[in-house]
Amino acid sequence: MVFCVAITAAQDRPYVIEQFRSEITLREDASFKVVEKIDVRFNIARRGIFRDIPIKYETDDGGTRQISIIDFKVLDENGNTRPTKVSRSSSYVRVRVGKEDRYFPPGTRQSYVISYEVYGALNWFDVDGTKSVELYWNVTGDKWDTDIQNTSFSVKFPTVEDSEKIAGRTFAGAFGSKDGLLLNSFGTALGDRWTDHGIWLQNESFFGEYLEGLAPGTGYTIALSLPERVAPKPSRWAVLARTIPTMPSLFTIVFTLGFMLFFWM
């Protein structure tokens, strides 16, 4: 009965995401690359999709932090470039994919391969002398107006030795949800219905699948804790240099103030 209801709901949506796959590659300079493959079925005529990626995250002290996302590329399943427009707000980057004068008829299936670079998104901790770095990432985002039937992710990172501390966790559902799985060491964790949710943590990778489906406005988030040496914290100047290209108004202000200060002195 539940399965039938889920199928009916998906058919009633203008479109449905049949599969959302995310591949993340974490680098030693504390940046990471994301490649998403989003398989969509259109139930009505549509031009394409909107992908909203959060760029504002809450911090442990109650504040917020802005991250930098650049170098967007959107391809189809054959490697052809798709028409794309990227816009930014204070909380999200919106990627609009599609041509204004082209509609896909009902029943069409399309694959969208979206890649981008992320800076300033890691967290660093020092607890009783044990230093760690954390990747906390909203894999799917929570602004989709349709169902995501299947979600999977993989994170590749520099090798962690067996003796080093490592942990991986997932969260599924609405913002603030604690539903998910936890691993405090290398191994496997499965949900109550083991065929629907599973995560695996190895020396160089963290990956998982979530097959229970995500409703509109919900999402899937991962948290991966690694030894700090895997991705040491960059200097503030390095972070600023990477953030400025995505904030042209701030760059203009800083440049103008610096220019004026130079001549005043």
Side-chain angles (χ1 to χ4, degrees):
M1 179 64 71
V2 174
F3 181 68
C4 293
V5 171
I7 292 177
T8 302
Q11 291 175 340
D12 290 341
R13 310 285 188 199
Y15 70 105
V16 63
I17 299 173
E18 297 181 320
Q19 178 76 44
F20 190 111
R21 294 186 289 273
S22 178
E23 298 178 356
I24 301 170
T25 303
L26 177 62
R27 306 188 184 99
E28 293 180 356
D29 67 354
S31 68
F32 56 91
K33 181 176 183 178
V34 179
V35 179
E36 300 171 349
K37 185 179 181 185
I38 306 172
D39 297 331
V40 176
R41 184 185 74 247
F42 296 122
N43 295 324
I44 65 172
R46 284 182 65 96
R47 290 174 289 195
I49 63 171
F50 293 96
R51 170 69 169 110
D52 292 314
I53 306 171
I55 57 174
K56 180 182 287 186
Y57 284 80
E58 294 184 357
T59 57
D60 291 338
D61 59 5
T64 58
R65 180 185 60 189
Q66 203 91 0
I67 68 173
S68 174
I69 303 181
I70 60 174
D71 294 342
F72 282 94
K73 295 179 182 178
V74 184
L75 309 174
D76 63 17
E77 64 273 25
N78 298 315
N80 301 310
T81 301
R82 286 189 179 274
T84 304
K85 180 179 180 181
V86 178
S87 58
R88 300 175 185 272
S89 68
S90 61
S91 300
Y92 289 86
V93 173
R94 164 163 281 196
V95 183
R96 187 187 73 182
V97 189
K99 295 181 66 175
E100 293 189 5
D101 59 348
R102 182 185 180 186
Y103 284 82
F104 295 106
T108 300
R109 284 182 165 86
Q110 291 289 307
S111 294
Y112 298 87
V113 182
I114 304 175
S115 64
Y116 48 91
E117 304 281 341
V118 184
Y119 298 92
L122 302 185
N123 304 304
W124 286 267
F125 301 98
D126 186 347
V127 180
D128 298 329
T130 300
K131 296 182 178 181
S132 62
V133 58
E134 178 192 61
L135 168 63
Y136 183 88
W137 185 247
N138 189 333
V139 173
T140 60
D142 55 7
K143 292 298 181 182
W144 291 104
D145 57 357
T146 189
D147 299 298
I148 302 176
Q149 295 179 335
N150 298 326
T151 303
S152 62
F153 73 91
S154 68
V155 184
K156 295 181 180 179
F157 48 83
T159 303
V160 174
E161 302 299 330
D162 293 341
S163 59
E164 294 181 294
K165 189 172 182 180
I166 187 172
R169 188 170 185 177
T170 61
F171 305 92
F175 178 79
S177 171
K178 300 299 182 182
D179 292 338
L181 298 175
L182 171 65
L183 278 172
N184 283 316
S185 61
F186 301 110
T188 301
L190 301 174
D192 294 335
R193 292 180 294 176
W194 60 272
T195 57
D196 291 338
H197 193 191
I199 58 175
W200 295 262
L201 188 54
Q202 300 176 349
N203 294 75
E204 297 179 341
S205 62
F206 178 42
F207 54 99
E209 292 182 321
Y210 185 76
L211 308 181
E212 296 183 26
L214 295 167
T218 65
Y220 190 81
T221 297
I222 62 173
L224 174 63
S225 178
L226 300 166
E228 184 195 34
R229 66 162 187 80
V230 170
K233 188 174 183 178
S235 68
R236 292 184 179 181
W237 287 111
V239 174
L240 180 61
R242 293 165 176 169
T243 304
I244 283 176
T246 65
M247 303 176 66
S249 59
L250 175 61
F251 177 80
T252 301
I253 293 172
V254 171
F255 179 84
T256 302
L257 291 176
F259 185 84
M260 294 172 63
L261 181 62
F262 176 81
F263 278 94
W264 284 344
M265 295 179 63

